[in-house]
């Protein structure tokens, strides 16, 4: 496996974990009766990726 491919795999794994974490947050919010617009969620993701220096 090349170094570039390993880095790509690492980014994919981070994104998967982020995705599952967000799903968990969403499920918890639904149970609590909270809602967010899709734009709010997109903005939150964008800020998190900037913070982590991810594309």
């Amino acid at each position: 496996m090349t170094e570039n491919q390993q880095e790509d795999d690492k980014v994919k794994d981070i994104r998967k974990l982020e995705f599952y974490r967000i799903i968990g947050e969403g499920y918890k919010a639904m149970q609590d009766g909270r809602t967010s617009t899709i734009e709010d969620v997109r903005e939150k993701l964008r800020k998190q990726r900037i913070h982590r220096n991810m594309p």
Side-chain angles (χ1 to χ4, degrees):
M1 200 180 278
T2 66
E3 186 176 323
N4 196 24
Q5 187 177 11
Q6 288 175 336
E7 191 65 29
D8 288 345
D9 289 346
K10 182 179 176 182
V11 170
K12 287 177 186 177
D13 289 343
I14 291 169
R15 286 186 174 172
K16 280 182 192 176
L17 289 173
E18 179 182 16
F19 175 71
Y20 289 123
R21 183 187 56 77
I22 290 168
I23 288 174
E25 280 185 23
Y27 181 73
K28 177 78 171 118
M30 285 172 41
Q31 288 179 322
D32 294 344
R34 293 179 281 131
T35 60
S36 295
T37 67
I38 196 72
E39 290 304 319
D40 291 341
V41 173
R42 284 182 181 149
E43 184 63 19
K44 184 176 179 180
L45 284 171
R46 187 185 69 77
K47 287 179 181 178
Q48 287 175 349
R49 288 185 178 143
I50 288 171
H51 177 71
R52 294 180 183 155
N53 289 325
M54 289 179 53

